[in-house]
Amino acid sequence: MVSPLGAGRAEFAALVGSDARLLAFARRAALILVPLTLGVVALLYGTGPTPRRNWQGDGLGVDFSQIWVAGRAALEGRAGEPYDLPVHLANLKAAFGPDCRFAWHYPPVFLLPAAALAVWEPQAAFWLWTTLSVGVFAFAMRIAAGHRDGAWIALAHPLVFCTLVYGQNGLFTAGFLTLGATWVDRRPWLAGLCFGLLCYKPHFAVLAPLLLLATGRRACLGACLATMLALVAASLAAFGPAAWIGFLQTLGTTNQIILRDAGAGLDINVSAFGAVRLAGGAMAAAWAFQGLVALAALALALRSWRGPTPAPLRSAALLAAVPLLSPYVPVYDLAPLVPATLFLVLAAREAGGLGWPERALLCATPLFALPRVVADLTSLPLGLGLALAVLACVALRVIRPDAAATRPGPWTAPRPGDLEHLERLGHLERLEPTRRA
């Protein structure tokens, strides 16, 4: 007689040993997790017992509160105020209370959408912001995956919940990068537009133009640069030069607040730089480690884009490398790792199936909900470890595709329901004939 523990182990082994069953399990989990995620974000963080406060006691939308305050200042002709820290803190206090304290580090192009949102009251603006970010992200995942299930499963990822809870722009970043990477050859002008829209986050926007330049994609690069210049011009026309002067003057202060003083907390920064600081290392050591990691990520991205790399794997390299280039990466800015993982799975499917590194990465997905908690409790840089794991899986397929070939162990035939699901998606023809038997 098989014990319950033994049966559970056998069931788990069968699950992770079958692409079909793993996909079916992810789809069933997403049917529960996606509505739960959106419901919690809307109700717990988008409403509250007192005006402009959520049920956690924070400003409505948490970090979104300062997007609204900066946008309201810009809307009222005071676009330079977000870059004057004492004035910005006073504006935050007046709008959301004394414990709402954030420094504004975005370039003035981000004041354009912030001002548009500030037309609405904070609660309506937060719901609109959340709806738009989920919509852009879901659309990008749908385009990348080629079917709705890919987008649905991606929305169930813990990093999506993390980004929405903070009211941050990580889903826009991941969405624009994904669309640009997907369309770069088929629709270069549209891809360049998507890459150019990232100029609100310069440290995440720099890699794509570099890869376009290195690979001679002139049309896409031209569209990217034109989009960036158009947004800069639009921000100057809308807000005048005061905002840009204030932004340039605060760059040194930004470096001090975020990197030297770790004003947001050591546990939130999941970069290589942040990992050394979290462990108590010196600034010089932190910069040295950050440089090594950034160079490795950049080298992989360049190799992937300059060589005969399959398109999904090339896209995965871009999205996996972007978060590792910056010395400051809050947990919600790991959102590009979601489409990076999606592209990695697509590349593995085209190559014959998932290998054990991809299977281990997918099984570790729940850990993406815990980087800040683990860092706070143990000082272990779990967030960086997960980011490096994604990059390593991509590197294995790029550098040694034969070593990355699937080695799932004993094959467990998919259940009938799984086969029917794959037939609807048109995936069965991609499975090896011996596995379909």
Side-chain angles (χ1 to χ4, degrees), residues 9-10 16 25 55 85 114 149 187 191 221 231 234 236 238 240 257 272 284 307 326 334 338 348 372 374 400-401:
R9 288 177 177 174
V16 300
F25 175 81
W55 287 96
L85 186 56
D149 274 31
R187 300 177 180 178
L221 179 61
L231 289 173
L236 282 169
I257 292 174
S326 173
L334 289 178
V338 181
R372 191 169 189 181
V374 172
R400 298 182 61 195

Side-chain angles (χ1 to χ4, degrees), residues 4 45 124 164 184 197 210-211 234 325 344 355 375 419 435:
Y45 293 90
L164 293 176
V184 69
L197 290 174
L210 178 61
L211 295 176
L325 299 182
L344 184 62
L419 291 174
R435 293 183 175 178

Side-chain angles (χ1 to χ4, degrees), residues 334 337 361 364-365 367-371 381-391:
L334 289 178
L337 296 183
L361 178 63
T365 296
L367 294 178
F368 280 97
L370 303 173
L382 178 61
L384 176 64
L386 293 169
L388 290 175
V390 176
L391 189 76

